Amino acid sequence: MFISRIPLNKARYGARQLIGSPYKLHAAVECSFPPDAVRKNDEGRILWRLDALTNDKGVWLYVVSPEKPDFTHIVEQAGWPMHEEWETKNYTPLLERIAKGQQWHFRLRANPVRKASEDRGRRHRAEGIVGKIQGHVTVDQQMQWLIDRSASHGFRILDNEAGQPDVIVKERHKEQFKRGNAIVTLATAVFEGHLEVTDADLFRGTLCHGVGRAKGFGCGLLTVASETENRAE
């Protein structure tokens, strides 16, 4: 497995096109690998996430993948062509270090959703809502969504000094974009906080396979860093 990151130049039209369309960025990430490259296997799958730096200092594209990517086309379209810079590291050393009881700072962009079990609408709907996937929209709902999935993904959210979950829910958006002739709608949120590993094998799988739905559209990639690394970001 490999983890990569590449800066995007928001001053360029191509970068703004990719940042504004998860569908286009998904296609660009896919083109970073040859047609016969492994997209998904037992070890992991292609995951990606956009991180906006504080104080409008730029946007980074993070990618986790079974094979090493080539981002030359993204640099040409959305980066700094005179400086073909991106970082790719072997993810295996970090994965092998994962152990029960470790505490990490984490970041996750996800698509918190639920399957509707009843129709709570006040008006009659021509199409039934029961069984359909709906996005969680409140901070409390989105945070509970993550907490509910933590054990099955090998971790637990730590508490802060006030005894509350040590996680911030931010960058909450309802995103719409075209996919062919259809309109895709996603409710997304960024989770950032501190966790403790409860099952090393499950957690390694989480780092490589992601959390939740819409993984092809920039959701699901959970990354971790030590406090020292986090302060350096």
Side-chain angles (χ1 to χ4, degrees), residues 95-114:
L95 296 174
E96 291 179 343
R97 283 169 47 203
I98 297 298
K100 182 178 179 180
Q102 288 177 339
Q103 296 183 358
W104 296 92
H105 177 272
F106 77 92
R107 184 176 296 158
L108 165 70
R109 183 174 182 269
N111 171 221
V113 297
R114 68 181 182 92

Side-chain angles (χ1 to χ4, degrees), residues 175-194:
E175 302 182 29
Q176 289 188 325
F177 55 92
K178 288 185 177 181
R179 184 185 184 187
N181 295 323
I183 300 295
V184 177
T185 301
L186 297 177
T188 64
V190 172
F191 302 86
E192 190 165 356
H194 294 87

Side-chain angles (χ1 to χ4, degrees), residues 38-101:
V38 175
R39 262 66 177 174
K40 182 179 179 181
N41 59 19
D42 291 341
E43 283 70 45
R45 58 171 293 165
I46 297 175
L47 299 167
W48 62 269
R49 185 183 76 220
L50 280 179
D51 279 4
L53 302 185
T54 57
N55 300 322
D56 199 34
K57 290 184 178 179
V59 175
W60 286 87
L61 169 64
Y62 283 82
V63 178
V64 165
S65 56
E67 297 195 17
K68 199 171 184 178
D70 180 350
F71 295 126
T72 301
H73 63 296
I74 296 181
V75 172
E76 293 173 347
Q77 177 183 354
W80 286 264
M82 297 298 292
H83 303 278
E84 295 186 14
E85 296 180 359
W86 67 80
E87 300 175 53
T88 296
K89 296 181 179 180
N90 188 344
Y91 213 17
T92 302
L94 183 141
L95 296 174
E96 291 179 343
R97 283 169 47 203
I98 297 298
K100 182 178 179 180

Side-chain angles (χ1 to χ4, degrees), residues 97-178:
R97 283 169 47 203
I98 297 298
K100 182 178 179 180
Q102 288 177 339
Q103 296 183 358
W104 296 92
H105 177 272
F106 77 92
R107 184 176 296 158
L108 165 70
R109 183 174 182 269
N111 171 221
V113 297
R114 68 181 182 92
K115 183 177 290 188
S117 59
E118 60 180 312
D119 190 344
R120 299 178 182 177
R122 296 182 179 180
R123 297 180 180 178
H124 174 72
R125 303 172 195 253
E127 296 182 2
I129 198 74
V130 175
K132 292 190 176 181
I133 300 300
Q134 295 183 311
H136 288 302
V137 294
T138 71
V139 170
D140 288 344
Q141 288 173 341
Q142 291 172 341
M143 185 175 295
Q144 192 60 51
W145 174 89
L146 179 61
I147 293 171
D148 290 345
R149 281 151 185 77
S150 60
S152 63
H153 286 79
F155 67 94
R156 72 179 184 91
I157 303 296
L158 294 172
D159 289 339
N160 58 25
E161 294 179 355
Q164 300 298 317
D166 190 3
V167 59
I168 296 172
V169 185
K170 58 184 182 178
E171 298 177 36
R172 302 168 57 246
H173 300 296
K174 182 178 181 180
E175 302 182 29
Q176 289 188 325
F177 55 92
K178 288 185 177 181

